[in-house]
Amino acid sequence: MTEDRSLEEFTGERSADDNAETEERDAEPSDAADGDASAAVATYRWDPEGVDCAACGESVERLWNADGGFVCEACKEW
Ligand SMILES: [Zn+2]
């Protein structure tokens, strides 16, 4: 329960998506396991103040690395 509280404080929003947070944690190790630890750094970026999506321009907290830049979840090709 303390973990949920700290997550809310960190994001600054009560709408924090626990599932999305888990996906991000899972994504990092698997990318690092590919052989290059630096790859994990560029997999996604997260900014509580919001970052503009390179594809649609919408300001979102989480952006994933894609061809041409960082895009929001809706624009990311999974
Ligand atoms: Zn987008």
Side-chain angles (χ1 to χ4, degrees), residues 3 10-11 14 16 27-29 32 34-36 41 44-45 48 58 60 67 72 74 76 78:
E3 210 169 312
F10 194 51
T11 59
R14 295 185 59 84
E28 265 193 287
D34 279 344
D36 189 354
V41 178
Y44 73 94
R45 63 183 285 194
E58 184 174 348
V60 294
D67 287 346
C72 69
K76 168 71 175 171
W78 297 103

Side-chain angles (χ1 to χ4, degrees), residues 52-58 60 63 70-76:
D52 289 344
C53 168
C56 70
E58 184 174 348
V60 294
L63 292 171
F70 288 88
V71 299
C72 69
E73 185 173 12
C75 296
K76 168 71 175 171

Side-chain angles (χ1 to χ4, degrees), residues 37-52:
S38 66
V41 178
T43 303
Y44 73 94
R45 63 183 285 194
W46 180 72
D47 191 326
E49 294 181 2
V51 184
D52 289 344

